[in-house]
Amino acid sequence: MAESKKIILGIAGGIAAYKTPELVRRLRERGAEVQVVMTRSAEEFVTGTTLQAVSGLPVRSNLWDKDAEAAMGHIELARWADLVLIAPATAEIMSRLASGAAPDLLTTLCLATHAPLVIAPAMNHVMWSNPAVQANRQVLEARGVRILGPDRGDQACGETGEGRMVEPDAIAAAVTGPTIVADVERPPLIGRKVMITAGPTREAIDPVRYISNRSSGKMAYAMARAAAAAGAEVVLISGPVELTTPDGIQRVDVESAREMFAATHERIDNIDIFIAAAAVADYCAESVQENKIKKTEARMSIELVRTPDILASVAELENGPFTVGFAAETENLREYAISKLEKKNLDMIVANQVGRNRGFDSDDNKVDVFWTAGEQSFPMMPKTELAVALIKLIGERYLERSAPGTRGELADRARIIHE
Ligand code: PMT
């Protein structure tokens, strides 16, 4: 039996709330102390009396409870919990959590706690697939909220689809393991090798001058950090940037597109996923002047030639890695990105609209991702959060490609929950 964990079970107002007395019992059987916090709508589906009887603690639902410590019940509960579990999590509560709205005790304590947050969504399958709900799911996942399910099957509304709350026993098993959250979702890229190109390249004109661009490397470095956090071994082929190397990552510094090409191909064997986030110069000077060019003429021109396309060359490799490109566009984002996906024969492309203070050298980014069978949009968010969401998506598509039908997201979740 697991050691005693203090779990706040938040219950939101969905029909699956009728399963929560059972969930409380399963959690307690596994040694957890359970404090139930209900929303007003949850009280429409299950009574506080029942939950108090099975949890052995008075149920809390009032943000303005005068009996709670110094009338700040949310702070007291936030400090008490080792883990906050919301089951069922409705579309409404996901939206509140994503936006930071805190009109009641449950959402307020979620803002005030350092404890990990796990949610088990449950709703009609059409609601679950609604883009607004999926956008909230992404925001929450990117912030580290662990999401269990939902499962696919018959629903209380009489329809069938993905939206059933994961069964109480499976939820209890997932959240009461020795390391709690680590057991909920195993890092998806464990044992995989990921190579990421980063930053700008510099194409020399003479010993002191070069052609370059405004890439800061922030997006690529965030991707590297997120891939490492997902369990991957990461090789970062980096152009000149002013960023520190994330822990545990092998960084190879290069300057020009040709150097980046060579460094990539020297290490590409055994790489599972190749992510080209670098802003590689498309042209370089045909010949680099040995000495500093003197300003003798009123006009001058430099003959430029194409640089090697690193991404396309990796995508061409026989038995090569899963390839992900980034497309930086100032117009016709979708059309140009899809054409790059096809022309370069990529598995995925991440399209960002760039311009002055957009995409390049900013802390936030907004992208649309395309692959042959689908697409997904991510709202404007910090590059650090976006990277976590992108690595998750890339990992899912990669796993699907490498073992179709056996490592899809649902299968993976079911395996994790039932282990
Ligand atoms: O570095 P930041 O300031 O954080 O900004 C992030 C970013 C905007 C640079 C990043 O999100 C991004 O979009 N990177 C790719 C920029 C780019 O070069 O896009 P492109 O559309 O020109 O190239 C398409 C793809 O081909 C890219 O994956 C690129 O890395 C790759 N490429 C391009 C040319 C070349 N010679 N070799 C390549 O591998």
Side-chain angles (χ1 to χ4, degrees):
M1 184 176 290
E3 67 182 79
S4 173
K5 305 266 163 46
K6 295 186 178 117
I7 296 179
I8 287 180
L9 172 61
I11 306 177
I15 182 66
Y18 83 88
K19 295 182 179 176
T20 53
E22 174 75 7
L23 174 56
V24 173
R25 291 188 58 213
R26 298 283 90 89
L27 289 168
R28 292 193 70 195
E29 276 168 16
R30 289 169 177 272
E33 272 182 76
V34 184
Q35 170 66 65
V36 174
V37 176
M38 297 173 77
T39 64
R40 288 273 174 239
S41 339
E43 289 168 352
E44 300 287 330
F45 296 93
V46 61
T47 72
T49 317
T50 309
L51 287 158
Q52 175 162 333
V54 290
S55 69
L57 291 172
V59 169
R60 306 280 290 271
S61 56
N62 187 358
L63 183 56
W64 311 110
D65 185 350
K66 293 194 180 52
D67 296 332
E69 189 183 303
M72 288 200 292
H74 60 292
I75 301 294
E76 165 217 337
L77 289 169
R79 288 185 186 143
W80 177 84
D82 293 324
L83 178 119
V84 178
L85 165 66
I86 303 183
T90 55
E92 159 73 6
I93 202 130
M94 287 176 68
S95 163
R96 286 183 185 179
L97 293 171
S99 68
D104 57 18
L105 180 60
L106 180 55
T107 44
T108 309
L109 80 85
C110 285
L111 288 185
T113 192
H114 288 302
L117 176 58
V118 179
I119 66 172
M123 64 196 76
N124 167 272
H125 66 103
V126 182
M127 287 174 76
W128 174 248
S129 62
N130 186 289
V133 175
Q134 288 305 309
N136 289 333
R137 174 184 70 84
Q138 281 165 17
V139 168
L140 294 174
E141 273 181 332
R143 286 189 200 139
V145 174
R146 307 296 163 145
I147 301 184
L148 292 177
D151 277 346
R152 185 179 292 276
D154 294 340
Q155 300 206 266
C157 54
E159 294 175 8
T160 301
E162 194 183 1
R164 278 171 67 94
M165 188 174 84
V166 171
E167 288 303 321
D169 207 25
I171 297 178
V175 299
T176 53
T179 53
I180 304 183
V181 170
D183 275 2
V184 174
E185 228 174 277
R186 172 176 298 176
L189 294 180
I190 272 187
R192 313 289 166 176
K193 293 198 170 103
V194 175
M195 181 184 276
I196 301 175
T197 63
T201 62
R202 283 181 186 168
E203 310 303 327
I205 296 169
D206 69 15
V208 295
R209 301 185 180 94
Y210 56 79
I211 301 169
S212 191
N213 60 63
R214 295 178 192 276
S215 168
S216 63
K218 286 177 192 168
M219 190 69 241
Y221 274 58
M223 296 290 286
R225 206 170 269 116
E233 202 179 301
V234 181
V235 182
L236 189 58
I237 310 285
S238 180
V241 296
E242 310 239 328
L243 299 172
T244 48
T245 314
D247 284 346
I249 282 168
Q250 186 196 344
R251 169 170 162 179
V252 180
D253 285 317
V254 296
E255 200 161 287
S256 65
R258 285 198 180 117
E259 284 175 20
M260 191 173 270
F261 181 93
T264 298
H265 282 277
E266 265 166 42
R267 296 165 180 83
I268 199 71
D269 285 351
N270 303 322
I271 293 292
D272 298 298
I273 301 174
F274 177 71
I275 303 172
V280 185
D282 290 322
Y283 291 90
C284 62
E286 186 172 31
S287 58
V288 179
Q289 299 303 306
E290 212 171 303
N291 296 308
K292 185 179 168 205
I293 301 168
K294 293 284 172 206
K295 51 172 183 294
T296 47
E297 309 296 327
R299 298 172 72 99
M300 70 169 290
S301 57
I302 301 167
E303 198 70 32
L304 299 177
V305 292
R306 288 291 296 269
T307 54
D309 192 317
I310 304 164
L311 175 59
S313 69
V314 170
E316 267 172 19
L317 294 172
E318 208 174 313
N319 299 322
F322 184 89
T323 47
V324 182
F326 269 72
E329 308 294 349
T330 52
E331 55 179 346
N332 302 333
L333 187 65
R334 182 192 176 85
E335 185 190 331
Y336 287 163
I338 291 175
S339 114
K340 279 179 190 168
L341 176 78
E342 287 164 0
K343 268 196 202 135
K344 298 196 188 197
N345 197 21
L346 309 178
D347 292 296
M348 285 181 100
I349 194 143
V350 180
N352 35 204
Q353 183 108 30
V354 296
R356 226 169 157 69
N357 302 323
R358 279 194 76 170
F360 281 84
D361 200 20
S362 64
D363 290 330
D364 304 315
N365 204 4
K366 170 181 179 303
V367 300
D368 297 326
V369 186
F370 302 94
W371 60 98
T372 317
E375 58 185 83
Q376 194 166 331
S377 297
F378 293 85
M380 185 66 85
M381 63 175 102
K383 284 179 178 171
T384 46
E385 287 181 16
L386 178 61
V388 173
L390 288 176
I391 287 293
K392 183 167 187 301
L393 180 63
I394 291 168
E396 284 168 4
R397 296 278 86 79
Y398 162 76
L399 290 172
E400 234 174 56
R401 190 196 77 162
S402 48
T406 60
R407 296 292 302 272
E409 186 184 14
L410 285 170
D412 225 14
R413 279 192 177 145
R415 176 179 60 73
I416 290 158
I417 290 166
H418 289 102
E419 256 174 20

